[in-house]
Amino acid sequence: MEARGGRGGRGGVASRGSRVMAAPEEPCGSRAGGEPGREAAGLSGARGRRRARGAAAMFRCGEEIVSGESEEESSGVNLMEFSDEILLHILSYVPCTDLVLNVRRTCRKLATLCLDKSLTHTVLLQKDYKVNKDKVKQLMRDIGKEIYQLNMAGCYWLPSSSIDHITRCKNLVKLNLSGCHLTSLHLSKTLSMLQHLRSLAIDVNPGFDAGQLSSECKATLSRVLELKQTLYTPSYGVVPCCTSLEKLLLYFEILDRSREGFMLSGQLMVGESNVPHYQNLRVFYARLAPGYVNQEVVRLYLAVLSDRTPENLHAFLISAPGSFAETGATKNLLDSMARNVRLDALQLPKAWINGSGLLQHLKFNNPFYFSFSRCTLSGGQLIQRVMNGGKDLKSLTSLNLSGCIHCLAPESLFRKAEDDIDSSILESLVVSCCNLRHLNLSAAHHHSSKNIGNHLCQLLARLKHLLSLALPVCSISDVAANMEKPPMQSNVTPQTLGKKVRIGIQTYSNQKPQSSVFWALMGSLPFLENLEIIGSSFSSAMPRNEPAIRNSLPPCVRAQSVGDSEVAAIGQLTYLQSLTLAQLPNILTGSGLVSIGLQCQHLRTLSLANLGMMGNVVYMSALMDMLKHCKCLRDLRLEQPYFSAGAQFFQALSHCSSLQRLCIVSRSGTLQSDAVMSFMANCLEVIMCHMFMGESLTVCKNLQQSIVRRSEVFRCCSVHLGACGRGFSCALQTERLGV
């Protein structure tokens, strides 16, 4: 689910393709390398990671490890006898604040190891919700000079004075302050002391004044090579000061109206001193939230690019929801790019591609990222213009075709969206792009023909390197198999709330369909980490970047054959970390969810929306049984009409000991206030609880007041009503006082 701390909690996790193919934080970078010492320790595999995490738990929060009798000695194992390489690998899983402030005080050996450069080089405070200003101060005082990379993204609860302590990090090269409270003066004071800084991420809020930046601060910015800037007000921010930029990531979150209700203008003060410098730019990325002001401001950023396109530009990505019309300046920019640069990554608004011959003229070098979301791109155009006639594209690792309803058909003219796909186009794509890691085919009807061996799932099974995959529900339906078998009535009796027997296990664990193409697909993707199965006509009630549609379209006819058995097939994904299931109308009991809970022990993010019959939550019993096994689950989002969040649900949810964020969106749903309070008291890791239900405004206010009164247990960052006025929404950071 999507949560930005205290800035609002309506993020629509289950919106189409929202997680699998959302543009990444670093859209043109690669995955970070392994921690030092892992290979030497021989613990680079999954088994090593599990052992290390278990052992790392013994070091947390200052547990005593001494030379006397201990649990380790009584069991014949003494961790202190391990080599330094293995211990460093284990310690790499412990948060840096625990290492420096607690673990290193336990014994002399750990005191030395906890300050090893491999552990202090990079400090991640992002989403470490138990970090406070005193811990930040002590951390910077102890190891500030050893820190080269510091990530404080999303630490919204820390006061701006905490930023001042970063000045102790004299050798800092990379700094991420996105989501932190930061004024122009604090930024100036901090950057003035960071002469080695080369990468920076900040927010630009109303009131930001570049004129308050000192000459020393501007000198530091002039050496910055990578900048990520999130704009909440029309501004160039610090971009004009960054004269050596090679990588620019812009996030436009500007509202069309001020808090007072006044219309905002996207006009910026343009002068010689505040014009962006793009001459060295290699990567340009812009993501826009809905609103005309965001479009106006990004055009001003692009105006400089249209005058002179950087020769070294190799990645150009613009993610814009809805309609973003092409102008004369943007057309000149694209024409200049077609003449002067060779790209490795491309993403453009659909209006810039549809009906134009742009793709025919753009030149590509070794492309690794393509996104044509919502474009009217036919399969013929995809193969000829993008895939170079089906030539080798082994360099391509990420492909987003979300909403491209004709991308697997030879031509879009006279074709209905529900017609069968051309399997030869998909086969050409699979053969050419055999190293794909991320693929998004959601928000379209991709219906396979009845011919054996040409099903979409059978062709995708060849992509052995996939890490994330997004598919429409109708695409996994096996037409041939459904025609062969006679209609069957489910003989599964829904489990009552009082039974302790796990439903679904006996019925589905040994009933793998012999010819199920989806079962075979899941079994052939052993390393898949992110999976989305979303109805092609699904629309979230609270989407992130789309208008809310109250009456969504009915599910696709072929989706009616996708049910509990297909959900159970997902349990084969041992390393699954994120799962989204939306608009599966044939869910009868939800028993497949139990299989996922039992077998996908690495699951961290779960989003379920509109499963089964809309008027009845048929999978409630199975969901509660599933949650009892999700020990690593951190984010849970449920969107289902008439959902009853009662005592039994919250009791089952309490088994998710790692849960941090909870979001429930339910039209005509109900909740029990006492159950919510008990849940929040027992699950101290939960920092965000958003509920948009059908309860009265009185119930919402009383529940909020009850949470505020429990201040001796909870520390509340913000508590506010839901935007609709009939929901309960609060953003909390829970921490036992005195611990």
Side-chain angles (χ1 to χ4, degrees):
M1 42 189 294
E2 196 170 64
R4 289 201 72 255
R7 290 189 181 272
R10 300 199 321 163
V13 179
S15 57
R16 293 191 190 103
S18 60
R19 184 165 300 279
V20 173
M21 290 300 301
E25 285 286 316
E26 304 291 341
C28 301
S30 59
R31 285 177 171 266
E35 288 86 341
R38 290 198 175 194
E39 296 298 327
L43 292 173
S44 58
R47 178 181 296 181
R49 287 194 294 270
R50 288 193 294 270
R51 289 179 177 175
R53 290 192 184 100
M58 305 184 69
F59 291 124
R60 289 180 181 271
C61 302
E63 284 191 67
E64 294 287 342
I65 298 180
V66 294
S67 58
E69 292 186 0
S70 62
E71 283 189 33
E72 292 87 348
E73 288 188 352
S74 62
S75 61
V77 178
N78 187 349
L79 290 178
M80 292 301 99
E81 295 178 356
F82 288 173
S83 66
D84 288 354
E85 289 80 6
I86 293 179
L87 289 175
L88 285 173
H89 171 73
I90 295 173
L91 292 171
S92 67
Y93 289 95
V94 181
C96 189
T97 50
D98 272 346
L99 287 178
V100 176
L101 303 181
N102 296 317
V103 178
R104 76 183 181 102
R105 304 173 189 270
T106 56
C107 68
R108 292 181 179 179
K109 184 172 184 177
L110 289 179
T112 302
L113 291 177
C114 287
L115 298 181
D116 188 86
K117 291 183 178 180
S118 65
L119 301 178
T120 59
H121 178 278
T122 300
V123 175
L124 303 178
L125 301 182
Q126 181 184 21
K127 296 183 180 180
D128 190 350
Y129 298 102
K130 292 187 178 180
V131 171
N132 54 38
K133 61 179 182 179
D134 294 329
K135 290 183 179 180
V136 172
K137 180 179 180 180
Q138 186 64 39
L139 189 67
M140 300 303 151
R141 179 182 300 173
D142 290 352
I143 62 169
K145 295 181 180 180
E146 308 298 327
I147 301 176
Y148 288 82
Q149 297 185 21
L150 177 61
N151 188 345
M152 297 179 64
C155 294
Y156 58 87
W157 61 90
L158 293 176
S160 55
S161 58
S162 298
I163 307 299
D164 296 339
H165 301 301
I166 300 176
T167 55
R168 295 179 179 269
C169 307
K170 305 293 185 182
N171 298 316
L172 205 59
V173 176
K174 187 172 184 178
L175 175 62
N176 191 337
L177 296 175
S178 298
C180 296
H181 292 292
L182 189 66
T183 64
S184 306
L185 293 177
H186 280 102
L187 179 64
S188 178
K189 178 181 178 181
T190 301
L191 297 188
S192 297
M193 306 298 292
L194 306 179
Q195 300 180 4
H196 302 286
L197 194 67
R198 296 296 180 269
S199 178
L200 176 66
I202 60 170
D203 291 351
V204 177
N205 292 291
F208 179 86
D209 183 6
Q212 295 180 340
L213 303 180
S214 65
S215 57
E216 293 83 1
C217 172
K218 293 180 179 180
T220 297
L221 289 171
S222 67
R223 295 184 288 269
V224 169
L225 304 179
E226 299 180 1
L227 175 66
K228 176 190 173 186
Q229 186 170 263
T230 304
L231 296 165
Y232 294 97
T233 186
S235 171
Y236 280 125
V238 299
V239 173
C241 301
C242 302
T243 56
S244 303
L245 272 184
E246 295 181 2
K247 184 175 181 180
L248 177 60
L249 311 179
L250 298 170
Y251 295 78
F252 295 87
E253 299 284 348
I254 310 169
L255 300 177
D256 290 343
R257 293 179 179 270
S258 66
R259 291 185 176 182
E260 293 76 19
F262 299 111
M263 297 290 292
L264 295 178
S265 171
Q267 297 299 318
L268 302 178
M269 295 296 295
V270 180
E272 184 178 351
S273 61
N274 60 354
V275 174
H277 299 270
Y278 294 145
Q279 59 267 27
N280 299 319
L281 202 63
R282 294 174 54 82
V283 176
F284 181 90
Y285 171 72
R287 190 192 72 184
L288 285 68
Y292 75 93
V293 174
N294 290 314
Q295 296 183 7
E296 285 187 13
V297 176
V298 76
R299 285 195 177 100
L300 295 176
Y301 278 83
L302 293 174
V304 180
L305 274 177
S306 62
D307 292 338
R308 181 182 177 184
T309 306
E311 297 179 357
N312 295 324
L313 188 69
H314 77 95
F316 187 77
L317 305 102
I318 298 181
S319 174
S323 177
F324 186 20
E326 186 180 26
T327 62
T330 56
K331 189 177 186 303
N332 293 336
L333 168 62
L334 297 176
D335 291 341
S336 176
M337 289 171 53
R339 293 192 305 267
N340 302 319
V341 301
R342 299 181 69 90
L343 296 174
D344 292 331
L346 177 67
Q347 179 176 1
L348 296 175
K350 61 180 181 180
W352 299 13
I353 296 180
N354 292 344
S356 70
L358 176 64
L359 294 178
Q360 194 171 357
H361 302 292
L362 285 176
K363 296 183 287 290
F364 301 103
N365 190 22
N366 292 307
F368 62 87
Y369 181 91
F370 281 148
S371 178
F372 303 108
S373 178
R374 310 284 179 176
C375 294
T376 56
L377 189 69
S378 70
Q381 293 173 321
L382 179 66
I383 297 300
Q384 296 300 324
R385 300 182 183 180
V386 181
M387 305 299 173
N388 297 322
K391 295 180 181 178
D392 183 10
L393 268 182
K394 291 183 179 179
S395 60
L396 193 66
T397 59
S398 184
L399 179 61
N400 184 359
L401 297 173
S402 173
C404 298
I405 59 177
H406 304 298
C407 67
L408 298 182
E411 58 182 43
S412 58
L413 196 63
F414 306 120
R415 179 186 182 272
K416 295 182 180 179
E418 296 81 7
D419 291 345
D420 291 346
I421 64 173
D422 186 338
S423 59
S424 64
I425 293 176
L426 180 58
E427 187 172 13
S428 298
L429 188 152
V430 169
V431 172
S432 301
C433 311
C434 57
N435 290 324
L436 275 178
R437 303 293 198 272
H438 313 280
L439 177 62
N440 190 342
L441 296 173
S442 64
H445 295 273
H446 295 315
H447 297 169
S448 299
S449 64
K450 303 174 185 177
N451 298 331
I452 299 176
N454 292 329
H455 195 280
L456 178 141
C457 291
Q458 292 173 313
L459 296 174
L460 293 184
R462 303 180 189 178
L463 299 175
K464 303 297 184 182
H465 304 290
L466 278 180
L467 297 177
S468 63
L469 177 64
L471 295 173
V473 176
C474 55
S475 71
I476 68 175
S477 174
D478 194 345
V479 179
N482 291 333
M483 291 181 64
E484 293 175 1
K485 63 183 181 180
M488 295 178 59
Q489 295 293 330
S490 174
N491 58 356
V492 181
T493 303
Q495 181 188 15
T496 60
L497 296 179
K499 281 191 175 181
K500 296 184 179 180
V501 180
R502 301 188 186 101
I503 66 165
I505 298 178
Q506 297 83 353
T507 305
Y508 287 96
S509 61
N510 297 319
Q511 289 193 6
K512 170 186 173 181
Q514 296 298 322
S515 59
S516 172
V517 291
F518 186 66
W519 272 84
L521 174 63
M522 294 293 96
S524 65
L525 302 176
F527 304 111
L528 198 68
E529 296 178 354
N530 301 281
L531 177 65
E532 289 187 2
I533 305 294
I534 302 177
S536 51
S537 57
F538 172 75
S539 179
S540 174
M542 304 190 80
R544 172 65 176 89
N545 284 328
E546 299 174 2
I549 301 176
R550 184 172 181 84
N551 296 319
S552 59
L553 297 174
C556 174
V557 175
R558 292 205 184 184
Q560 300 288 346
S561 62
V562 178
D564 295 307
S565 179
E566 284 74 18
V567 173
I570 300 173
Q572 299 175 84
L573 303 176
T574 306
Y575 300 105
L576 188 66
Q577 296 184 17
S578 176
L579 175 63
T580 297
L581 300 175
Q583 202 179 40
L584 277 71
N586 199 35
I587 295 296
L588 301 178
T589 64
S591 55
L593 296 174
V594 184
S595 299
I596 297 174
L598 287 170
Q599 301 175 53
C600 303
Q601 289 296 303
H602 298 283
L603 190 64
R604 298 161 65 94
T605 300
L606 177 63
S607 178
L608 305 177
N610 295 1
L611 304 186
M613 298 174 59
M614 295 297 290
N616 184 22
V617 187
V618 296
Y619 62 92
M620 177 62 93
S621 296
L623 174 63
M624 292 190 295
D625 205 358
M626 174 196 187
L627 293 175
K628 296 175 183 178
H629 307 289
C630 297
K631 303 301 181 184
C632 295
L633 190 66
R634 293 190 177 184
D635 301 308
L636 175 62
R637 186 183 192 276
L638 301 172
E639 181 173 338
Q640 188 82 29
Y642 303 100
F643 190 90
S644 177
Q648 289 180 313
F649 167 75
F650 281 109
Q651 185 177 3
L653 191 59
S654 299
H655 288 84
C656 302
S657 54
S658 301
L659 191 68
Q660 294 181 345
R661 287 169 290 274
L662 171 66
C663 180
I664 302 178
V665 180
S666 180
R667 177 171 51 87
S668 302
T670 60
L671 62 85
Q672 292 184 15
S673 299
D674 293 343
V676 175
M677 293 298 300
S678 177
F679 164 72
M680 295 298 295
N682 293 330
C683 297
L684 300 182
E685 297 295 324
V686 175
I687 52 88
M688 192 198 82
C689 179
H690 289 187
M691 291 189 226
F692 301 91
M693 315 286 279
E695 295 290 353
S696 66
L697 189 62
T698 301
V699 172
C700 297
K701 287 185 176 181
N702 290 340
L703 182 53
Q704 290 176 343
Q705 292 173 1
S706 297
I707 294 178
V708 172
R709 284 196 297 267
R710 293 290 299 273
S711 58
E712 72 278 4
V713 177
F714 303 127
R715 186 176 66 197
C716 303
C717 292
S718 64
V719 178
H720 55 275
L721 287 174
C724 61
R726 288 184 59 79
F728 160 68
S729 173
C730 63
L732 305 173
Q733 177 176 343
T734 62
E735 180 178 352
R736 286 282 185 183
L737 299 182
V739 176

